[in-house]
Amino acid sequence: MIRLLISVLALIGFCEAGISEQQMEIKIGYLRQAPSRIRISLIDVPAANDGLAGAQLAAEDDNATGRFLNQRYTLIDKLLGENDDPVAAMQGLADQGVSFIVTSLDADRLLKIADAGKARGETLINALALDERLREQDCRANVFHVAPTRSMLADALAQYLVWKKWRKWMLLSGSHESDGLFAEALRHAAMRFGAKIVEERVFKDTGGARRTDSGVAEIQQQMPIVTQSAPDHDVLVAADESEVFAGYLPYRTWDPRPVAGSAGLVPTTWDAAFDQWGAVQLQNRFTKKFQRSMTAHDMQVWTAVRMIGEAASRTGSDDSGKMLAYMKGPDFSVAAFKGQKLTIRDWNLQLRQPILLFDGRNTVSVSPQEGFLHQVSTLDTLGLDRPETKCKLK
């Protein structure tokens, strides 16, 4: 009996060793820059692990599935300093055997590593940059996009405002480049869905700090002045990605009007109050693990890492070529608690997804709105459609 037991244990150990040797390891890189901490409200200042937390939770979820498929996922995080070379960081990840890199980088850095990584077979998944040009004239065949474009956000907001019959907009935009890009997306959305911008104004950023003892009194005087004597309008739409003024607009405008865009009713991919389609389960797991709420950035990175896991599990392979082909194919989709499977636009590799409209406490609505139809997918009513694209994947 003792000999028999020893033989059985040895056989089990041999089988386990064989399985271990055959286990597939999928390494996922996460290349990120520190998030800007400039926010109007102190409660909106991002955590140091904003984005990273989403990646870590997604890697756990990938491994939960991978255990049944003899796959193991390893997340390799790389934080770039302001003056660090992103190409060198990408090369370092490639040297470690990483073929898929999720990025939270600005557009210029992303393009640098996309071009440099092409020769090494690197595939990038953009989880942060909103820039339309990354999906249009500067699109790359090795870059997927989970982060929405500004036009997707603007269209989602416009559909709801038009559905509400709030068709007359006053547009107040900031003086920074990113503010102008969002303002342009809002103009395009207004024209696309039948709204009218009755007047445009620019809020000049003159610098200075408002977090002073007299700050509230100063703002209370300034916001009515910048919005007074406007033509009749239904809603004030703000384009302020630079976090200079929009957060001060609600309840301070000259006319009693709702605020939307960069403050008030805000289009976003995720919010901490969202609880439909099983989202509360993800929210609870995230909060329990990280002791804070899940942000839109966290969710975008989570989705990007899950896309890689989905490709590996569906192909049953750790071969990056097979995984990439599946991701670019017609059968690929990813579930992300949005009420439907999310798919890839094959003309620019942008992830189709619903956009939430958040008021700071609750999810007010989800776009696309009812009645906005499309011959392929109603999700393609958000953002530039195939006939509009300038992208030529290369």
Side-chain angles (χ1 to χ4, degrees), residues 36-41 44 176 178-179 205 210-211 239-248 262:
S36 169
R37 296 178 63 82
I38 298 174
R39 297 291 187 275
I40 284 177
S41 172
D44 291 331
H176 294 271
S178 59
D179 306 331
D205 183 7
R210 294 191 178 91
R211 287 182 188 152
D240 178 33
E241 288 190 9
S242 304
E243 289 269 340
V244 173
F245 69 91
Y248 299 126
S262 295

Side-chain angles (χ1 to χ4, degrees), residues 159 192-193 368-382 385:
Q159 285 188 12
R192 186 179 191 185
F193 297 111
Q369 297 293 315
E370 185 177 352
F372 292 88
L373 305 179
H374 192 276
Q375 63 270 31
V376 176
S377 168
T378 56
L379 293 175
D380 284 342
T381 64
L382 306 179
D385 200 0

Side-chain angles (χ1 to χ4, degrees), residues 187-210:
R187 292 186 200 100
H188 183 272
M191 182 175 62
R192 186 179 191 185
F193 297 111
K196 181 180 180 181
I197 298 176
V198 298
E199 185 171 329
E200 291 191 34
R201 296 182 183 179
V202 175
F203 187 97
K204 297 286 188 182
D205 183 7
T206 57
R210 294 191 178 91

Side-chain angles (χ1 to χ4, degrees), residues 302-318:
W302 182 91
T303 305
V305 174
R306 283 291 298 119
M307 285 171 60
I308 299 167
E310 185 71 14
S313 64
R314 294 291 181 178
T315 59
S317 173
D318 59 353

Side-chain angles (χ1 to χ4, degrees), residues 112-315:
K112 285 181 180 179
I113 63 172
D115 291 339
K118 186 176 181 180
R120 300 206 58 173
E122 295 298 308
T123 298
L124 311 179
I125 305 181
N126 165 33
L128 181 66
L130 306 175
D131 303 67
E132 209 80 44
R133 65 186 179 98
L134 294 175
R135 291 82 162 171
E136 294 300 316
Q137 63 269 26
D138 290 334
C139 66
R140 298 292 189 270
N142 63 334
V143 183
F144 291 82
H145 304 277
V146 171
T149 61
R150 292 182 176 91
S151 64
M152 290 171 67
L153 299 174
D155 287 350
L157 178 63
Q159 285 188 12
Y160 179 75
L161 297 181
V162 169
W163 180 84
K164 286 288 293 178
K165 296 183 169 48
W166 296 346
R167 295 175 181 270
K168 292 185 289 185
W169 303 357
M170 176 182 173
L171 177 60
L172 183 59
S173 57
S175 55
H176 294 271
E177 181 181 3
S178 59
D179 306 331
L181 292 173
F182 188 32
E184 180 56 36
L186 289 165
R187 292 186 200 100
H188 183 272
M191 182 175 62
R192 186 179 191 185
F193 297 111
K196 181 180 180 181
I197 298 176
V198 298
E199 185 171 329
E200 291 191 34
R201 296 182 183 179
V202 175
F203 187 97
K204 297 286 188 182
D205 183 7
T206 57
R210 294 191 178 91
R211 287 182 188 152
T212 62
D213 292 340
S214 61
V216 171
E218 177 186 343
I219 294 162
Q220 189 166 322
Q221 294 294 323
Q222 190 176 24
M223 292 301 108
I225 291 173
V226 78
T227 57
Q228 71 177 338
S229 303
D232 181 45
H233 57 286
D234 299 317
V235 59
L236 176 61
V237 181
D240 178 33
E241 288 190 9
S242 304
E243 289 269 340
V244 173
F245 69 91
Y248 299 126
L249 288 170
Y251 307 105
R252 293 189 176 102
T253 57
W254 183 271
D255 297 307
R257 297 291 184 272
V259 175
S262 295
L265 187 64
V266 178
T268 181
T269 56
W270 194 254
D271 68 65
F274 187 61
D275 59 2
Q276 292 181 262
W277 302 304
V280 69
Q281 180 262 354
L282 179 65
Q283 302 272 28
N284 289 341
R285 285 197 297 119
F286 187 93
T287 302
K288 182 178 180 181
K289 183 174 179 63
F290 299 106
Q291 290 76 53
R292 65 172 179 83
S293 298
M294 191 175 197
T295 67
H297 186 200
D298 288 316
M299 185 57 181
Q300 287 159 199
V301 177
W302 182 91
T303 305
V305 174
R306 283 291 298 119
M307 285 171 60
I308 299 167
E310 185 71 14
S313 64
R314 294 291 181 178
T315 59

Side-chain angles (χ1 to χ4, degrees), residues 54-65:
Q56 291 170 335
L57 185 63
E60 284 189 7
D61 293 345
D62 284 348
N63 276 311
T65 302

